[in-house]
Amino acid sequence: MSIVRILAIRLGASGYGRNFDEKSEEVRGGRMKKYVLSTVMAVLMLMFLLPHTGQAASSGTTITLDNQKLANADVLTVNQTTMVPIRVVSEQLGYSVKWNQAAGQVTIGSGANTVVLTINQRMASVNGALVSLTEPAMASKQTTYVPLRFVSAQMGLQVKWDNAAKNVFLFTAGNPNAGQIGATPSVPSDGGNLTPIVTPVGDKAQLQAISFSDNRLMVTTDKLVTVKDSVLTGPNRILLELSNTGFGPALGNGLAVGDVGTISTDSASNISQVRYFVPKSNPNVVQVVIDLKSANTYKLSKEGTSVFVSLDKVAAPNTNVGGNGKKVLVIDAGHGAHDPGAVGNGIREKDINLAIALKVEAIMKKNPKVDVVMSRSDDTFLELKERVRVAKNVKADVFISIHNNSGSAAASGTETYYQRDSSKTLATTLHKYILAATGFKDRKVQYGNFHVIRETDMPAALLEIGFVSNAGDASQLKNDAFQQRVAEAIAKGLLEYMGV
């Protein structure tokens, strides 16, 4: 592979960001384009493996690519982290490089093979996945320097290190000289081995539930995990990293490493979406990203194995769930995702359950004395035990699970279930209002040994609004005005029972 023509990414002589053309500078490579990003990353990785000698110290190291020495490879160390000038990468490897002065961002590559670094940010984007950096990208000597710890393990080159000559040799695939020079780089003392160490699945926590309601994100795992939060710009985002965590079988069903799941945030004015994924660069973590429309302060809190990110509102400070003496209400929309619940007359129970639950949430969160938590806020699935876990984590005062029934075509009506005597008053109060709203046959308040109202430790009721298997009930259940009337009835019953 030939050395490609030179393009220097330089900053103005008067300081970083000055006298720099805000239009993108681009270098377009030759026929070896498919190797470009992997080659770049290999250069960075090998630089990282070089000895560190102190603050902003030059290592005196040279780099040789297919027997041709690269010039001006000035390598610095900052806080024991190796930093390499992006200029060297662009000069010698020849691919598209763009500088966005307004955002302070350098973009390397294009399309699916893209690395984005932001000055003074400790996160980088590698092919769409967010990766932690030991040091942020920086400006020095009129050049942008990048940290090397973010480099992933998928490299397109063979690399050898000649310790005596202080030279790193890079070889493209198939080069016969690769086995004749130097030695395979050893693991650096500061832990810079970039090949992910995969913890056995049995040792990992599992992400079981994720929902967004009332301007607050909830993430629930099956055991306690360490959570790191970061604020990113260009665009504005809030990042959560859950260490030693993977997807539970329900939530992550069908999501491979690198695949991205999303949840709905239609009720949020300043959020475009919430994404969650296991990045290819580190399969030991789950990353959850809140994509913001503009910068927004927030508060991170934990309740048991649930983590909450509450976005600050303009008029009021943020509090933990149930703070300031608020009553905590957990609304559970039954079924979801691959579990449709009852199906009949052109409707799926999971859709009706969620539609009514979201309407109840919208009403209840208007009350300043109530804090609402949703077990799910879109078409996702939780195991029954995870729905219970959510309620226990937030120490809910009241739990309701919204369902619809199924039976023979003639079966019709509304019924409400309780399991413990302490829940009977809640069920009776709710049933009174729901029955009046539906106008369906009264199937009474009944004892039911259902998991979510048995295993919760607060007053809990399971609501069966109507029968999807009955044509008359179903025609009403899929009507938005009917759903709103039922939601208002549920809210009235809750407010009466909670005394707020």
Side-chain angles (χ1 to χ4, degrees), residues 40-52 59 63 74-78 80-86 89 108 117 124 126 131-137 144-153 155 188 190-194:
V40 172
M41 298 176 96
V43 172
L44 296 177
M45 182 186 77
L46 260 293
M47 290 279 203
F48 182 70
L49 296 176
L50 301 177
H52 302 314
S59 65
I63 302 174
D74 185 21
V75 180
L76 303 180
T77 57
V78 177
Q80 296 186 332
T81 297
T82 304
M83 308 289 285
V84 62
I86 201 80
V89 178
I108 309 165
L117 298 123
V126 179
V131 181
S132 298
L133 307 177
T134 54
E135 289 292 327
T144 301
Y145 279 78
V146 297
L148 311 176
R149 196 176 182 89
F150 76 92
V151 185
S152 69
M155 300 298 167
D190 63 353
N193 185 0
L194 299 171

Side-chain angles (χ1 to χ4, degrees), residues 37-352:
L37 188 62
S38 60
T39 304
V40 172
M41 298 176 96
V43 172
L44 296 177
M45 182 186 77
L46 260 293
M47 290 279 203
F48 182 70
L49 296 176
L50 301 177
H52 302 314
T53 58
Q55 293 286 334
S58 177
S59 65
T61 305
T62 59
I63 302 174
T64 299
L65 173 62
D66 281 344
N67 300 322
Q68 296 190 52
K69 186 175 293 186
L70 307 186
N72 302 319
D74 185 21
V75 180
L76 303 180
T77 57
V78 177
N79 297 327
Q80 296 186 332
T81 297
T82 304
M83 308 289 285
V84 62
I86 201 80
R87 170 177 52 82
V88 172
V89 178
S90 62
E91 284 176 348
Q92 306 302 339
L93 300 174
Y95 57 91
S96 173
V97 178
K98 298 180 181 180
W99 164 247
N100 184 327
Q101 183 171 351
Q105 285 185 332
V106 175
T107 300
I108 309 165
S110 62
N113 293 323
T114 304
V115 175
V116 180
L117 298 123
T118 305
I119 299 299
N120 297 326
Q121 289 282 333
R122 288 186 175 271
M123 299 299 299
S125 172
V126 179
N127 299 334
L130 296 174
V131 181
S132 298
L133 307 177
T134 54
E135 289 292 327
M138 59 174 283
S140 180
K141 301 179 181 180
Q142 301 178 351
T143 302
T144 301
Y145 279 78
V146 297
L148 311 176
R149 196 176 182 89
F150 76 92
V151 185
S152 69
Q154 54 259 30
M155 300 298 167
L157 303 176
Q158 289 187 347
V159 267
K160 300 291 182 179
W161 165 242
D162 186 338
N163 187 60
K166 299 189 71 174
N167 198 352
V168 172
F169 294 88
L170 308 179
F171 297 96
T172 53
N175 190 316
N177 294 322
Q180 302 174 12
I181 301 175
T184 302
S186 59
V187 177
S189 59
D190 63 353
N193 185 0
L194 299 171
T195 303
I197 302 172
V198 180
T199 303
V201 173
D203 296 334
K204 287 185 178 180
Q206 292 188 348
L207 180 61
Q208 300 285 8
I210 180 169
S211 67
F212 187 90
S213 64
D214 198 20
N215 224 34
R216 180 173 55 213
L217 175 73
M218 180 192 69
V219 177
T220 300
T221 54
D222 65 345
K223 62 178 72 172
L224 292 174
V225 299
T226 300
V227 179
K228 177 183 177 183
D229 61 307
S230 306
V231 176
L232 308 175
T233 58
N236 292 297
R237 290 153 291 162
I238 298 171
L239 167 68
L240 300 183
E241 285 191 310
L242 285 66
S243 64
N244 198 31
T245 304
F247 289 134
L251 186 62
N253 186 33
L255 284 181
V257 173
D259 290 348
V260 179
T262 61
I263 63 172
S264 172
T265 57
D266 293 341
S267 62
S269 60
N270 196 38
I271 296 180
S272 55
Q273 66 175 342
V274 173
R275 298 175 284 132
Y276 55 93
F277 51 91
V278 174
K280 291 181 179 179
S281 56
N282 187 356
N284 282 331
V285 305
V286 169
Q287 294 185 344
V288 181
V289 181
I290 305 174
D291 290 318
L292 302 169
K293 297 176 183 176
S294 61
N296 207 131
T297 56
Y298 68 95
K299 182 176 181 180
L300 183 74
S301 61
K302 294 182 179 181
E303 301 286 346
T305 61
S306 291
V307 177
F308 293 87
V309 178
S310 300
L311 299 181
D312 288 336
K313 300 176 183 178
V314 174
N318 223 345
T319 60
N320 291 335
V321 178
N324 295 338
K326 293 182 178 181
K327 298 286 188 180
V328 179
L329 167 66
V330 172
I331 303 174
D332 173 48
H335 308 284
H338 63 273
D339 175 13
V343 178
N345 292 294
I347 61 176
R348 300 176 298 185
E349 182 193 350
K350 68 171 185 175
D351 299 327
I352 307 302

Side-chain angles (χ1 to χ4, degrees), residues 3 47 129 205 244 260 282 284 316 318 329 337 357 371 420 423 429 434 437 443 451 467 476 479:
I3 301 298
M47 290 279 203
N244 198 31
V260 179
N282 187 356
N284 282 331
N318 223 345
L329 167 66
D371 214 343
R420 301 182 301 276
S423 298
T429 304
I434 298 170
R443 296 175 64 94
H451 184 96
F467 279 73
Q476 293 277 56
N479 180 275

Side-chain angles (χ1 to χ4, degrees), residues 469-493:
S469 54
N470 179 279
D473 285 10
S475 66
Q476 293 277 56
L477 289 170
K478 58 187 173 184
N479 180 275
D480 187 75
F482 176 85
Q483 295 171 7
Q484 182 64 32
R485 188 164 72 246
V486 170
E488 291 172 356
I490 294 171
K492 287 178 181 177

